[in-house]
Amino acid sequence: MRLVGPSGEQVGIVPLAKALELAQEYDLDLVEVAANARPPVCKLMDYGKFKYESAMKAREARKNQAHTVIKEMKLRPKIDPHDYDTKKGHVVRFLKQGDKVKITIMFRGREQSRPELGYRLLQRLAEDVQDLGFVESNPKQDGRNMIMVLGPHKKKTEAMAEARQAQEARKADAKANPGKSQNPAEAEAPSEEPAEA
């Protein structure tokens, strides 16, 4: 077999008994790396440490991996302006977090004969959030509903990194100023203590 040393150096072609003897001498494991090669390739290594390091690398990769999430927001064609602002705020938050947003307009009864109302509402929403996201799927009628998908300009990983940095900055600020309140509204509000009579 061809033997590779503990630091990656080529030992050469050695018999199995000699390889096992070297493994005992170095107090390492003899691991077959390429069984199909001619001759087979083995390496001297600490197998437990190798498994641990590869598991840690896999865990780190999973931690940095971003899962694509599609959030859904449902609207009605005759939505109140305040309700529209609230729903738009949710869409903005989702796009800032790096998530896609599926906007569904639900038509009932006679509203189904006026799909242009839903189309106009979707176009208005797309224009209102165009700095954060873009129209990934144009509005299309699907039975009683009209659907449009908005995609964020920045990737989920970028949004997660920004959120982490903001959180670390808040923690650092809290350590630097431990007496100050975290909520600016609380800090500015006058204290309501009862007046002594």
Side-chain angles (χ1 to χ4, degrees), residues 20-158:
L20 288 170
E21 189 180 302
L22 283 170
Q24 282 183 340
E25 186 180 312
Y26 286 116
D27 195 28
L28 294 172
D29 301 313
L30 183 65
V31 180
E32 192 172 36
V33 185
N36 295 335
R38 289 285 163 242
V41 180
C42 293
K43 184 174 182 181
L44 294 173
M45 68 168 76
D46 184 352
Y47 189 62
K49 181 180 175 185
F50 170 75
K51 279 179 64 174
Y52 174 76
E53 286 174 352
S54 60
M56 291 306 290
K57 283 180 188 173
R59 184 183 296 167
E60 195 66 32
R62 275 197 307 274
K63 190 168 80 172
N64 293 333
Q65 187 179 36
H67 300 288
T68 304
V69 179
I70 297 182
K71 305 282 189 173
E72 185 170 14
M73 188 58 54
K74 294 187 176 184
L75 307 170
R76 299 292 314 281
K78 297 176 182 174
I79 190 168
D80 184 67
H82 180 265
D83 292 340
Y84 172 80
D85 290 339
T86 303
K87 300 272 187 173
K88 183 180 83 172
H90 292 312
V91 171
V92 165
R93 188 180 78 231
F94 295 149
L95 289 172
K96 280 184 179 176
Q97 292 172 352
D99 296 322
K100 292 182 181 182
V101 185
K102 175 182 174 184
I103 292 122
T104 304
I105 303 237
M106 302 174 295
F107 296 99
R108 278 197 294 192
R110 293 180 183 174
E111 293 173 349
Q112 293 179 45
S113 63
R114 303 282 309 276
E116 67 275 3
L117 292 175
Y119 186 79
R120 268 189 256 143
L121 184 63
L122 289 174
Q123 291 300 320
R124 177 178 155 204
L125 182 61
E127 287 173 14
D128 288 349
V129 298
Q130 68 184 355
D131 54 330
L132 296 171
F134 61 96
V135 177
E136 197 169 277
S137 170
N138 286 318
K140 59 177 178 275
Q141 190 82 26
D142 181 24
R144 293 178 171 207
N145 300 330
M146 185 174 280
I147 297 169
M148 176 177 77
V149 178
L150 293 173
H153 286 308
K154 62 181 171 186
K155 293 184 172 66
K156 180 82 172 176
T157 50
E158 294 171 15

